[in-house]
Amino acid sequence: MAEPASQRQAPILAIDGLRKAFGALVATDDVTLDIRTGELHALIGPNGAGKSTLITQICGELKPDAGRILFDGRDVTRLRPHLRSRLGLGRTFQITQLCPDFSALENILLSIETRGGGSFDMLSNPRGNAGAIASARARLAEVGLGDLADRQAATLAHGQRRQLEIAVALAREPRLLLLDEPMAGLGPEESAAMTRLLDGLKRRYAILLVEHDMDAVFALADRVSVLVYGRVIFTGTVAEVRSDPAVRAAYLGGEPAC
Amino acid sequence: MLTSRLRLIVIAGGLLLLLTAPYLAQLTGSAGLLGLANRIAIYAIAAVSLDLILGYGALVSFGHAMFFGLGGYAVGIIAFHTGTGEPLFGWKGSNAALIVWPLALVACALLAAAVGTLSLKTSGVQFIMITLAFAQMVFFVLVSLQSYGGDDGLLLDRRNTLPLIDLSRPTTFYYVCVALLVGWTAFCARVVNSRFGLVLQALRQSERRSINLGVDPFPFRLVAFIISAVGTGLAGVLWANYARFVSPDMAAWSKSGEFIAIVVLGGLGTLLGPIAGTAVFIALEQILSIWTEHWMIVMGPVLTLVALFGRRGLAGRLFGERNG
């Protein structure tokens, strides 16, 4: 399980003493976490543990009350979300966020076009850019949507929209992928396909995976952090998490470690 | 495909109608027809411009009449000073369209930059209210300009002049308006399908997605707002020349509402739809107002029906199919 090579490198994302409170509710309570280059780090926790709040702070949509977020060694705590994205932070959403009127291909083209923040070029049509289209098609094929390039995003099935969202995130070669419950709402077969897809992305990208599907988490994760009431109560390998009594009591509910 | 062929036929038919209107007017002996066609051509430029931000950017500007009014007044005020010989900021004035029109459009762009910078910090209902508030300010400034006629407006002695083209001839002026309409619509279509347009449309569909792709929404919306204002200002410039009269009514809130109604009637986010919407709206207004001065009694239900049942407007089905 140990990865000496990546452990020696500086982490791509380092969260240090992060805190966010909504009135009396402390949604993020002194969270310290790091994601290493090439690592798939899973974040698990019961509903209301503050997983989404943490993700939105990493992306910059929500400002923390205290603490720091370092992306590739750079302090981004005060950086606006679109600028964080330009540094190489890619994400998918718990509720898919796509451009519903655009085709699948156009959604990918948008991602390629906006790598540097988008262009004010008012004359050239990106749909005529052969290079961009070829790489967009390759992305779609990679997530298994090769045949659906011209389908309007709104007409895609739920699982296909999830796949498309991952392709949109990948199209800009992110340095870190934040995946917010990519299995949510998927049937067993779709979940298995998504697990295979994520397994193929492992090592190529640093990934923070927020997920409820324990089978997927245990199959994919290099390390797992457990969030309960806004606190990280444990970080370790899959084997360590499974055998930790505190984690089992708080979250796994004594489920046999099969 | 059937719809794409039908679309081509409708576009060709519409263009043919626009181009032959002067002959049709001559043929039928109704002098009013050319004026009607000219009003349609001018208003259509404003409608296409508004559609650029309303349909493609989901920015509901309830103040676009301010640019229509400003474009018109820029022409009117310069004509007034040129006529009286009284200098305007030390400038003797000019009657040349190639000088006056660009000045009017620059004025509209500057106003749009200021209004857009303040109003685009908000969205939804606040954006509607702020654009309305600015338009009302412009309206009352125009009313208070006593030396330029105040409430009563300002008459222009003659139209601006172009080299080689005689704008005082109604048919010539009409063709200039049509040429500008075609050119402006082609430009807007290019913008909508451009790399800039891709981002503008993405912001309409999912602002959150766009921001998380690295897009800063504000500059894109501001630039679109300014382009839209310049187009509406051009319509105002042409209107002042067509009617040889400007009045604060050009900037009234009801005019802003009329522009929105025309775009919705024609089909949001279709560019060509609003041109059809303009034709229907202005023609209906003309016909109905012969019959009763309360023509809105009929127009109201028509608008309601279109808004309720034709979600993409009269021509939306034709022009809107996956238009990028």
mmCIF file of all heavy atoms in Angstrom, chain A residues 61 82 85-86 91 97 99-102 106 113-114 117 119 121-125 127 165 172, chain B residues 190 193-196 198 202 204-206 208-209 211-216 220 223 227 322 324:
data_model
loop_
_atom_site.group_PDB
_atom_site.id
_atom_site.type_symbol
_atom_site.label_atom_id
_atom_site.label_comp_id
_atom_site.label_asym_id
_atom_site.label_seq_id
_atom_site.Cartn_x
_atom_site.Cartn_y
_atom_site.Cartn_z
ATOM 1 N N GLU A 61 -15.797 28.474 -3.648
ATOM 2 C CA GLU A 61 -17.160 29.029 -3.667
ATOM 3 C C GLU A 61 -17.573 29.523 -2.285
ATOM 4 O O GLU A 61 -18.453 30.361 -2.150
ATOM 5 C CB GLU A 61 -18.155 27.971 -4.167
ATOM 6 C CG GLU A 61 -17.969 27.639 -5.628
ATOM 7 C CD GLU A 61 -18.897 26.562 -6.126
ATOM 8 O OE1 GLU A 61 -19.372 25.748 -5.317
ATOM 9 O OE2 GLU A 61 -19.161 26.532 -7.325
ATOM 10 N N HIS A 82 -12.792 30.955 -10.110
ATOM 11 C CA HIS A 82 -12.400 30.754 -11.496
ATOM 12 C C HIS A 82 -10.885 30.748 -11.660
ATOM 13 O O HIS A 82 -10.346 30.109 -12.552
ATOM 14 C CB HIS A 82 -13.066 31.789 -12.409
ATOM 15 C CG HIS A 82 -12.632 33.203 -12.166
ATOM 16 N ND1 HIS A 82 -13.231 34.014 -11.232
ATOM 17 C CD2 HIS A 82 -11.658 33.934 -12.726
ATOM 18 C CE1 HIS A 82 -12.641 35.195 -11.245
ATOM 19 N NE2 HIS A 82 -11.679 35.175 -12.140
ATOM 20 N N SER A 85 -9.579 27.355 -10.668
ATOM 21 C CA SER A 85 -9.792 26.411 -11.757
ATOM 22 C C SER A 85 -8.678 26.529 -12.788
ATOM 23 O O SER A 85 -8.179 25.525 -13.298
ATOM 24 C CB SER A 85 -11.151 26.692 -12.398
ATOM 25 O OG SER A 85 -11.240 26.045 -13.629
ATOM 26 N N ARG A 86 -8.277 27.771 -13.066
ATOM 27 C CA ARG A 86 -7.234 27.967 -14.078
ATOM 28 C C ARG A 86 -5.892 27.407 -13.626
ATOM 29 O O ARG A 86 -5.033 27.110 -14.450
ATOM 30 C CB ARG A 86 -7.082 29.458 -14.396
ATOM 31 C CG ARG A 86 -8.236 29.987 -15.235
ATOM 32 C CD ARG A 86 -7.985 31.425 -15.646
ATOM 33 N NE ARG A 86 -9.234 32.157 -15.747
ATOM 34 C CZ ARG A 86 -9.304 33.484 -15.893
ATOM 35 N NH1 ARG A 86 -8.198 34.196 -15.946
ATOM 36 N NH2 ARG A 86 -10.470 34.086 -15.985
ATOM 37 N N ARG A 91 -13.299 19.748 -11.348
ATOM 38 C CA ARG A 91 -14.243 19.140 -10.418
ATOM 39 C C ARG A 91 -15.492 18.651 -11.125
ATOM 40 O O ARG A 91 -15.830 19.096 -12.220
ATOM 41 C CB ARG A 91 -14.641 20.125 -9.332
ATOM 42 C CG ARG A 91 -15.631 21.172 -9.795
ATOM 43 C CD ARG A 91 -16.085 22.082 -8.674
ATOM 44 N NE ARG A 91 -16.970 21.411 -7.729
ATOM 45 C CZ ARG A 91 -17.735 22.061 -6.838
ATOM 46 N NH1 ARG A 91 -17.682 23.356 -6.766
ATOM 47 N NH2 ARG A 91 -18.516 21.413 -6.018
ATOM 48 N N GLN A 97 -23.490 19.488 -13.240
ATOM 49 C CA GLN A 97 -23.547 20.842 -13.775
ATOM 50 C C GLN A 97 -22.970 20.805 -15.179
ATOM 51 O O GLN A 97 -21.752 20.781 -15.347
ATOM 52 C CB GLN A 97 -22.733 21.802 -12.904
ATOM 53 C CG GLN A 97 -23.273 22.015 -11.518
ATOM 54 C CD GLN A 97 -24.468 22.941 -11.509
ATOM 55 O OE1 GLN A 97 -24.596 23.803 -12.364
ATOM 56 N NE2 GLN A 97 -25.355 22.754 -10.556
ATOM 57 N N CYS A 99 -23.841 22.154 -19.501
ATOM 58 C CA CYS A 99 -24.634 23.087 -20.297
ATOM 59 C C CYS A 99 -25.677 22.264 -21.047
ATOM 60 O O CYS A 99 -25.343 21.603 -22.040
ATOM 61 C CB CYS A 99 -23.740 23.855 -21.259
ATOM 62 S SG CYS A 99 -22.626 24.951 -20.384
ATOM 63 N N PRO A 100 -26.917 22.264 -20.574
ATOM 64 C CA PRO A 100 -27.921 21.318 -21.085
ATOM 65 C C PRO A 100 -28.256 21.500 -22.562
ATOM 66 O O PRO A 100 -28.582 20.527 -23.226
ATOM 67 C CB PRO A 100 -29.143 21.580 -20.203
ATOM 68 C CG PRO A 100 -28.927 22.915 -19.591
ATOM 69 C CD PRO A 100 -27.455 23.099 -19.492
ATOM 70 N N ASP A 101 -28.147 22.735 -23.082
ATOM 71 C CA ASP A 101 -28.501 22.968 -24.488
ATOM 72 C C ASP A 101 -27.359 22.596 -25.435
ATOM 73 O O ASP A 101 -27.578 22.418 -26.626
ATOM 74 C CB ASP A 101 -28.864 24.439 -24.723
ATOM 75 C CG ASP A 101 -30.117 24.830 -23.963
ATOM 76 O OD1 ASP A 101 -30.818 23.918 -23.486
ATOM 77 O OD2 ASP A 101 -30.377 26.033 -23.832
ATOM 78 N N PHE A 102 -26.154 22.530 -24.911
ATOM 79 C CA PHE A 102 -25.005 22.165 -25.742
ATOM 80 C C PHE A 102 -24.981 20.657 -25.961
ATOM 81 O O PHE A 102 -25.459 19.895 -25.123
ATOM 82 C CB PHE A 102 -23.693 22.586 -25.069
ATOM 83 C CG PHE A 102 -23.365 24.052 -25.180
ATOM 84 C CD1 PHE A 102 -22.368 24.605 -24.394
ATOM 85 C CD2 PHE A 102 -24.029 24.876 -26.070
ATOM 86 C CE1 PHE A 102 -22.048 25.948 -24.484
ATOM 87 C CE2 PHE A 102 -23.717 26.221 -26.171
ATOM 88 C CZ PHE A 102 -22.716 26.758 -25.374
ATOM 89 N N GLU A 106 -19.872 19.863 -27.512
ATOM 90 C CA GLU A 106 -19.734 21.293 -27.204
ATOM 91 C C GLU A 106 -19.373 21.513 -25.732
ATOM 92 O O GLU A 106 -18.640 22.445 -25.401
ATOM 93 C CB GLU A 106 -21.025 22.036 -27.552
ATOM 94 C CG GLU A 106 -21.197 22.262 -29.047
ATOM 95 C CD GLU A 106 -22.578 22.774 -29.423
ATOM 96 O OE1 GLU A 106 -23.573 22.438 -28.730
ATOM 97 O OE2 GLU A 106 -22.680 23.491 -30.420
ATOM 98 N N GLU A 113 -11.803 25.325 -24.380
ATOM 99 C CA GLU A 113 -11.756 26.762 -24.669
ATOM 100 C C GLU A 113 -11.468 27.600 -23.430
ATOM 101 O O GLU A 113 -10.862 28.658 -23.522
ATOM 102 C CB GLU A 113 -13.106 27.214 -25.249
ATOM 103 C CG GLU A 113 -13.242 27.024 -26.734
ATOM 104 C CD GLU A 113 -12.324 27.947 -27.494
ATOM 105 O OE1 GLU A 113 -12.209 29.119 -27.105
ATOM 106 O OE2 GLU A 113 -11.712 27.487 -28.456
ATOM 107 N N THR A 114 -11.966 27.160 -22.279
ATOM 108 C CA THR A 114 -11.902 28.007 -21.086
ATOM 109 C C THR A 114 -10.694 27.692 -20.216
ATOM 110 O O THR A 114 -10.601 28.179 -19.107
ATOM 111 C CB THR A 114 -13.187 27.862 -20.244
ATOM 112 O OG1 THR A 114 -13.429 26.471 -20.029
ATOM 113 C CG2 THR A 114 -14.386 28.465 -20.941
ATOM 114 N N GLY A 117 -9.460 30.718 -19.258
ATOM 115 C CA GLY A 117 -10.468 31.671 -18.830
ATOM 116 C C GLY A 117 -11.427 32.074 -19.936
ATOM 117 O O GLY A 117 -12.341 32.854 -19.719
ATOM 118 N N SER A 119 -12.117 33.011 -24.320
ATOM 119 C CA SER A 119 -11.586 33.961 -25.297
ATOM 120 C C SER A 119 -12.632 35.005 -25.669
ATOM 121 O O SER A 119 -13.824 34.736 -25.648
ATOM 122 C CB SER A 119 -11.162 33.196 -26.548
ATOM 123 O OG SER A 119 -10.951 34.093 -27.610
ATOM 124 N N ASP A 121 -12.484 36.266 -28.659
ATOM 125 C CA ASP A 121 -12.486 36.153 -30.113
ATOM 126 C C ASP A 121 -13.929 35.994 -30.598
ATOM 127 O O ASP A 121 -14.596 35.029 -30.253
ATOM 128 C CB ASP A 121 -11.641 34.931 -30.494
ATOM 129 C CG ASP A 121 -11.677 34.635 -31.989
ATOM 130 O OD1 ASP A 121 -12.435 35.303 -32.714
ATOM 131 O OD2 ASP A 121 -10.938 33.738 -32.419
ATOM 132 N N MET A 122 -14.409 36.971 -31.361
ATOM 133 C CA MET A 122 -15.820 36.952 -31.766
ATOM 134 C C MET A 122 -16.013 36.468 -33.189
ATOM 135 O O MET A 122 -17.120 36.515 -33.706
ATOM 136 C CB MET A 122 -16.415 38.350 -31.654
ATOM 137 C CG MET A 122 -16.391 38.830 -30.245
ATOM 138 S SD MET A 122 -17.286 40.342 -30.053
ATOM 139 C CE MET A 122 -16.883 40.690 -28.351
ATOM 140 N N LEU A 123 -14.954 36.069 -33.846
ATOM 141 C CA LEU A 123 -15.099 35.711 -35.246
ATOM 142 C C LEU A 123 -14.933 34.221 -35.515
ATOM 143 O O LEU A 123 -15.676 33.647 -36.299
ATOM 144 C CB LEU A 123 -14.105 36.523 -36.093
ATOM 145 C CG LEU A 123 -14.360 38.030 -36.018
ATOM 146 C CD1 LEU A 123 -13.333 38.789 -36.833
ATOM 147 C CD2 LEU A 123 -15.772 38.376 -36.504
ATOM 148 N N SER A 124 -13.992 33.556 -34.848
ATOM 149 C CA SER A 124 -13.791 32.146 -35.192
ATOM 150 C C SER A 124 -14.701 31.241 -34.374
ATOM 151 O O SER A 124 -14.935 31.465 -33.182
ATOM 152 C CB SER A 124 -12.326 31.763 -35.019
ATOM 153 O OG SER A 124 -11.888 32.107 -33.726
ATOM 154 N N ASN A 125 -15.196 30.219 -35.053
ATOM 155 C CA ASN A 125 -16.124 29.276 -34.439
ATOM 156 C C ASN A 125 -15.336 28.090 -33.903
ATOM 157 O O ASN A 125 -14.656 27.409 -34.667
ATOM 158 C CB ASN A 125 -17.135 28.826 -35.498
ATOM 159 C CG ASN A 125 -18.244 27.994 -34.895
ATOM 160 O OD1 ASN A 125 -18.067 27.359 -33.853
ATOM 161 N ND2 ASN A 125 -19.396 27.999 -35.546
ATOM 162 N N ARG A 127 -16.279 25.314 -33.146
ATOM 163 C CA ARG A 127 -16.741 24.045 -33.720
ATOM 164 C C ARG A 127 -16.012 23.737 -35.022
ATOM 165 O O ARG A 127 -16.178 22.659 -35.588
ATOM 166 C CB ARG A 127 -18.250 24.102 -33.951
ATOM 167 C CG ARG A 127 -19.039 24.273 -32.655
ATOM 168 C CD ARG A 127 -20.455 24.757 -32.928
ATOM 169 N NE ARG A 127 -21.115 25.247 -31.727
ATOM 170 C CZ ARG A 127 -20.951 26.459 -31.211
ATOM 171 N NH1 ARG A 127 -20.130 27.323 -31.792
ATOM 172 N NH2 ARG A 127 -21.591 26.824 -30.119
ATOM 173 N N GLU A 165 -19.576 14.666 -17.350
ATOM 174 C CA GLU A 165 -18.986 15.641 -16.433
ATOM 175 C C GLU A 165 -17.519 15.318 -16.167
ATOM 176 O O GLU A 165 -16.692 16.214 -16.052
ATOM 177 C CB GLU A 165 -19.779 15.669 -15.128
ATOM 178 C CG GLU A 165 -20.270 17.062 -14.816
ATOM 179 C CD GLU A 165 -20.609 17.270 -13.369
ATOM 180 O OE1 GLU A 165 -20.694 16.289 -12.622
ATOM 181 O OE2 GLU A 165 -20.799 18.435 -12.998
ATOM 182 N N ARG A 172 -9.373 19.505 -19.641
ATOM 183 C CA ARG A 172 -8.439 20.613 -19.412
ATOM 184 C C ARG A 172 -7.188 20.135 -18.693
ATOM 185 O O ARG A 172 -6.431 20.944 -18.180
ATOM 186 C CB ARG A 172 -9.121 21.720 -18.625
ATOM 187 C CG ARG A 172 -9.883 21.194 -17.433
ATOM 188 C CD ARG A 172 -11.063 22.042 -17.092
ATOM 189 N NE ARG A 172 -10.659 23.349 -16.632
ATOM 190 C CZ ARG A 172 -10.963 24.455 -17.282
ATOM 191 N NH1 ARG A 172 -11.631 24.403 -18.394
ATOM 192 N NH2 ARG A 172 -10.594 25.614 -16.796
ATOM 193 N N ARG B 190 -22.413 35.660 -36.057
ATOM 194 C CA ARG B 190 -21.007 35.266 -35.951
ATOM 195 C C ARG B 190 -20.555 35.296 -34.487
ATOM 196 O O ARG B 190 -19.875 34.385 -34.012
ATOM 197 C CB ARG B 190 -20.183 36.244 -36.788
ATOM 198 C CG ARG B 190 -18.761 35.864 -37.008
ATOM 199 C CD ARG B 190 -18.597 35.096 -38.297
ATOM 200 N NE ARG B 190 -17.242 34.573 -38.402
ATOM 201 C CZ ARG B 190 -16.418 34.887 -39.396
ATOM 202 N NH1 ARG B 190 -16.819 35.679 -40.363
ATOM 203 N NH2 ARG B 190 -15.205 34.383 -39.432
ATOM 204 N N ASN B 193 -21.902 32.342 -32.401
ATOM 205 C CA ASN B 193 -21.272 31.055 -32.672
ATOM 206 C C ASN B 193 -19.757 31.074 -32.484
ATOM 207 O O ASN B 193 -19.090 30.101 -32.790
ATOM 208 C CB ASN B 193 -21.602 30.602 -34.096
ATOM 209 C CG ASN B 193 -23.061 30.192 -34.207
ATOM 210 O OD1 ASN B 193 -23.558 29.431 -33.384
ATOM 211 N ND2 ASN B 193 -23.758 30.724 -35.198
ATOM 212 N N SER B 194 -19.245 32.191 -31.984
ATOM 213 C CA SER B 194 -17.791 32.318 -31.836
ATOM 214 C C SER B 194 -17.325 31.725 -30.516
ATOM 215 O O SER B 194 -18.124 31.252 -29.709
ATOM 216 C CB SER B 194 -17.393 33.791 -31.895
ATOM 217 O OG SER B 194 -17.819 34.431 -30.705
ATOM 218 N N ARG B 195 -16.024 31.789 -30.291
ATOM 219 C CA ARG B 195 -15.463 31.328 -29.017
ATOM 220 C C ARG B 195 -16.022 32.177 -27.874
ATOM 221 O O ARG B 195 -16.318 31.667 -26.795
ATOM 222 C CB ARG B 195 -13.938 31.451 -29.071
ATOM 223 C CG ARG B 195 -13.326 30.643 -30.201
ATOM 224 C CD ARG B 195 -11.857 30.958 -30.400
ATOM 225 N NE ARG B 195 -11.056 30.491 -29.287
ATOM 226 C CZ ARG B 195 -9.796 30.863 -29.090
ATOM 227 N NH1 ARG B 195 -9.210 31.691 -29.920
ATOM 228 N NH2 ARG B 195 -9.138 30.407 -28.054
ATOM 229 N N PHE B 196 -16.175 33.478 -28.133
ATOM 230 C CA PHE B 196 -16.792 34.365 -27.136
ATOM 231 C C PHE B 196 -18.238 33.944 -26.876
ATOM 232 O O PHE B 196 -18.680 33.843 -25.733
ATOM 233 C CB PHE B 196 -16.738 35.807 -27.661
ATOM 234 C CG PHE B 196 -17.525 36.801 -26.847
ATOM 235 C CD1 PHE B 196 -17.002 37.346 -25.693
ATOM 236 C CD2 PHE B 196 -18.803 37.180 -27.244
ATOM 237 C CE1 PHE B 196 -17.729 38.250 -24.940
ATOM 238 C CE2 PHE B 196 -19.534 38.088 -26.501
ATOM 239 C CZ PHE B 196 -18.996 38.627 -25.345
ATOM 240 N N LEU B 198 -19.614 31.075 -27.271
ATOM 241 C CA LEU B 198 -19.675 29.792 -26.557
ATOM 242 C C LEU B 198 -19.687 30.032 -25.047
ATOM 243 O O LEU B 198 -20.479 29.446 -24.314
ATOM 244 C CB LEU B 198 -18.472 28.927 -26.964
ATOM 245 C CG LEU B 198 -18.476 27.480 -26.505
ATOM 246 C CD1 LEU B 198 -19.401 26.647 -27.388
ATOM 247 C CD2 LEU B 198 -17.069 26.884 -26.525
ATOM 248 N N ALA B 202 -22.659 29.514 -22.354
ATOM 249 C CA ALA B 202 -22.404 28.623 -21.225
ATOM 250 C C ALA B 202 -22.807 29.314 -19.920
ATOM 251 O O ALA B 202 -23.403 28.695 -19.032
ATOM 252 C CB ALA B 202 -20.935 28.223 -21.184
ATOM 253 N N ARG B 204 -25.140 31.418 -19.518
ATOM 254 C CA ARG B 204 -26.594 31.388 -19.413
ATOM 255 C C ARG B 204 -27.061 30.032 -18.871
ATOM 256 O O ARG B 204 -27.938 29.957 -18.032
ATOM 257 C CB ARG B 204 -27.226 31.630 -20.786
ATOM 258 C CG ARG B 204 -28.753 31.562 -20.773
ATOM 259 C CD ARG B 204 -29.326 31.332 -22.153
ATOM 260 N NE ARG B 204 -29.121 29.963 -22.577
ATOM 261 C CZ ARG B 204 -28.872 29.590 -23.826
ATOM 262 N NH1 ARG B 204 -28.776 30.470 -24.783
ATOM 263 N NH2 ARG B 204 -28.702 28.322 -24.115
ATOM 264 N N GLN B 205 -26.437 28.964 -19.366
ATOM 265 C CA GLN B 205 -26.918 27.626 -19.031
ATOM 266 C C GLN B 205 -26.503 27.178 -17.645
ATOM 267 O O GLN B 205 -27.262 26.536 -16.938
ATOM 268 C CB GLN B 205 -26.418 26.625 -20.073
ATOM 269 C CG GLN B 205 -26.948 26.914 -21.453
ATOM 270 C CD GLN B 205 -26.294 26.016 -22.484
ATOM 271 O OE1 GLN B 205 -26.450 24.809 -22.451
ATOM 272 N NE2 GLN B 205 -25.540 26.591 -23.389
ATOM 273 N N SER B 206 -25.278 27.462 -17.264
ATOM 274 C CA SER B 206 -24.820 27.108 -15.926
ATOM 275 C C SER B 206 -23.665 28.004 -15.533
ATOM 276 O O SER B 206 -22.530 27.782 -15.911
ATOM 277 C CB SER B 206 -24.385 25.640 -15.863
ATOM 278 O OG SER B 206 -23.846 25.375 -14.575
ATOM 279 N N ARG B 208 -22.477 28.301 -12.593
ATOM 280 C CA ARG B 208 -21.610 27.601 -11.653
ATOM 281 C C ARG B 208 -20.592 26.752 -12.409
ATOM 282 O O ARG B 208 -19.409 26.738 -12.083
ATOM 283 C CB ARG B 208 -22.478 26.723 -10.752
ATOM 284 C CG ARG B 208 -21.765 26.320 -9.518
ATOM 285 C CD ARG B 208 -22.702 25.695 -8.514
ATOM 286 N NE ARG B 208 -21.941 25.255 -7.375
ATOM 287 C CZ ARG B 208 -22.287 24.227 -6.619
ATOM 288 N NH1 ARG B 208 -23.383 23.561 -6.884
ATOM 289 N NH2 ARG B 208 -21.532 23.868 -5.596
ATOM 290 N N ARG B 209 -21.069 26.028 -13.415
ATOM 291 C CA ARG B 209 -20.176 25.209 -14.231
ATOM 292 C C ARG B 209 -19.116 26.091 -14.888
ATOM 293 O O ARG B 209 -17.936 25.782 -14.860
ATOM 294 C CB ARG B 209 -21.003 24.452 -15.273
ATOM 295 C CG ARG B 209 -20.272 23.831 -16.426
ATOM 296 C CD ARG B 209 -19.000 23.132 -16.065
ATOM 297 N NE ARG B 209 -19.163 21.825 -15.460
ATOM 298 C CZ ARG B 209 -18.224 21.233 -14.701
ATOM 299 N NH1 ARG B 209 -17.085 21.843 -14.452
ATOM 300 N NH2 ARG B 209 -18.426 20.043 -14.190
ATOM 301 N N ILE B 211 -17.928 29.058 -14.045
ATOM 302 C CA ILE B 211 -16.941 29.591 -13.104
ATOM 303 C C ILE B 211 -15.943 28.497 -12.742
ATOM 304 O O ILE B 211 -14.737 28.730 -12.698
ATOM 305 C CB ILE B 211 -17.636 30.140 -11.841
ATOM 306 C CG1 ILE B 211 -18.413 31.407 -12.185
ATOM 307 C CG2 ILE B 211 -16.619 30.420 -10.748
ATOM 308 C CD1 ILE B 211 -19.263 31.934 -11.065
ATOM 309 N N ASN B 212 -16.467 27.282 -12.541
ATOM 310 C CA ASN B 212 -15.564 26.189 -12.183
ATOM 311 C C ASN B 212 -14.757 25.687 -13.371
ATOM 312 O O ASN B 212 -13.941 24.782 -13.218
ATOM 313 C CB ASN B 212 -16.351 25.054 -11.528
ATOM 314 C CG ASN B 212 -16.595 25.330 -10.052
ATOM 315 O OD1 ASN B 212 -15.712 25.174 -9.235
ATOM 316 N ND2 ASN B 212 -17.789 25.807 -9.721
ATOM 317 N N LEU B 213 -15.001 26.256 -14.539
ATOM 318 C CA LEU B 213 -14.133 25.998 -15.683
ATOM 319 C C LEU B 213 -13.148 27.156 -15.883
ATOM 320 O O LEU B 213 -12.436 27.200 -16.865
ATOM 321 C CB LEU B 213 -14.961 25.796 -16.952
ATOM 322 C CG LEU B 213 -15.680 24.448 -17.087
ATOM 323 C CD1 LEU B 213 -16.514 24.406 -18.348
ATOM 324 C CD2 LEU B 213 -14.700 23.298 -17.064
ATOM 325 N N GLY B 214 -13.164 28.116 -14.969
ATOM 326 C CA GLY B 214 -12.182 29.185 -15.054
ATOM 327 C C GLY B 214 -12.688 30.472 -15.664
ATOM 328 O O GLY B 214 -11.908 31.374 -15.970
ATOM 329 N N VAL B 215 -14.001 30.590 -15.861
ATOM 330 C CA VAL B 215 -14.565 31.771 -16.510
ATOM 331 C C VAL B 215 -14.928 32.833 -15.472
ATOM 332 O O VAL B 215 -15.597 32.531 -14.487
ATOM 333 C CB VAL B 215 -15.825 31.407 -17.315
ATOM 334 C CG1 VAL B 215 -16.497 32.656 -17.855
ATOM 335 C CG2 VAL B 215 -15.485 30.452 -18.446
ATOM 336 N N ASP B 216 -14.482 34.045 -15.706
ATOM 337 C CA ASP B 216 -14.945 35.167 -14.902
ATOM 338 C C ASP B 216 -16.157 35.749 -15.635
ATOM 339 O O ASP B 216 -16.006 36.306 -16.721
ATOM 340 C CB ASP B 216 -13.830 36.216 -14.786
ATOM 341 C CG ASP B 216 -14.223 37.351 -13.868
ATOM 342 O OD1 ASP B 216 -15.302 37.277 -13.250
ATOM 343 O OD2 ASP B 216 -13.446 38.324 -13.766
ATOM 344 N N PHE B 220 -17.316 39.005 -19.757
ATOM 345 C CA PHE B 220 -18.039 38.461 -20.914
ATOM 346 C C PHE B 220 -19.419 39.104 -21.034
ATOM 347 O O PHE B 220 -19.857 39.491 -22.115
ATOM 348 C CB PHE B 220 -18.170 36.935 -20.795
ATOM 349 C CG PHE B 220 -16.896 36.227 -21.101
ATOM 350 C CD1 PHE B 220 -15.981 35.956 -20.105
ATOM 351 C CD2 PHE B 220 -16.589 35.877 -22.405
ATOM 352 C CE1 PHE B 220 -14.778 35.332 -20.389
ATOM 353 C CE2 PHE B 220 -15.394 35.252 -22.707
ATOM 354 C CZ PHE B 220 -14.492 34.974 -21.694
ATOM 355 N N VAL B 223 -19.112 42.887 -22.111
ATOM 356 C CA VAL B 223 -18.842 43.082 -23.536
ATOM 357 C C VAL B 223 -20.109 42.810 -24.354
ATOM 358 O O VAL B 223 -20.451 43.572 -25.260
ATOM 359 C CB VAL B 223 -17.665 42.185 -23.993
ATOM 360 C CG1 VAL B 223 -17.569 42.159 -25.511
ATOM 361 C CG2 VAL B 223 -16.353 42.681 -23.390
ATOM 362 N N ILE B 227 -22.087 45.503 -26.791
ATOM 363 C CA ILE B 227 -22.400 45.242 -28.205
ATOM 364 C C ILE B 227 -23.902 45.427 -28.436
ATOM 365 O O ILE B 227 -24.334 46.062 -29.404
ATOM 366 C CB ILE B 227 -21.983 43.809 -28.602
ATOM 367 C CG1 ILE B 227 -20.463 43.669 -28.543
ATOM 368 C CG2 ILE B 227 -22.485 43.457 -30.004
ATOM 369 C CD1 ILE B 227 -19.986 42.250 -28.735
ATOM 370 N N ARG B 322 -31.289 23.871 -32.147
ATOM 371 C CA ARG B 322 -29.856 23.676 -31.938
ATOM 372 C C ARG B 322 -29.042 24.724 -32.689
ATOM 373 O O ARG B 322 -28.187 24.392 -33.483
ATOM 374 C CB ARG B 322 -29.437 22.268 -32.396
ATOM 375 C CG ARG B 322 -30.133 21.169 -31.664
ATOM 376 C CD ARG B 322 -29.414 20.770 -30.370
ATOM 377 N NE ARG B 322 -27.976 20.775 -30.534
ATOM 378 C CZ ARG B 322 -27.209 21.715 -30.042
ATOM 379 N NH1 ARG B 322 -27.694 22.710 -29.376
ATOM 380 N NH2 ARG B 322 -25.915 21.653 -30.204
ATOM 381 N N GLY B 324 -26.721 26.374 -31.905
ATOM 382 C CA GLY B 324 -25.428 26.590 -31.248
ATOM 383 C C GLY B 324 -25.604 26.806 -29.779
ATOM 384 O O GLY B 324 -24.767 27.352 -29.155
#
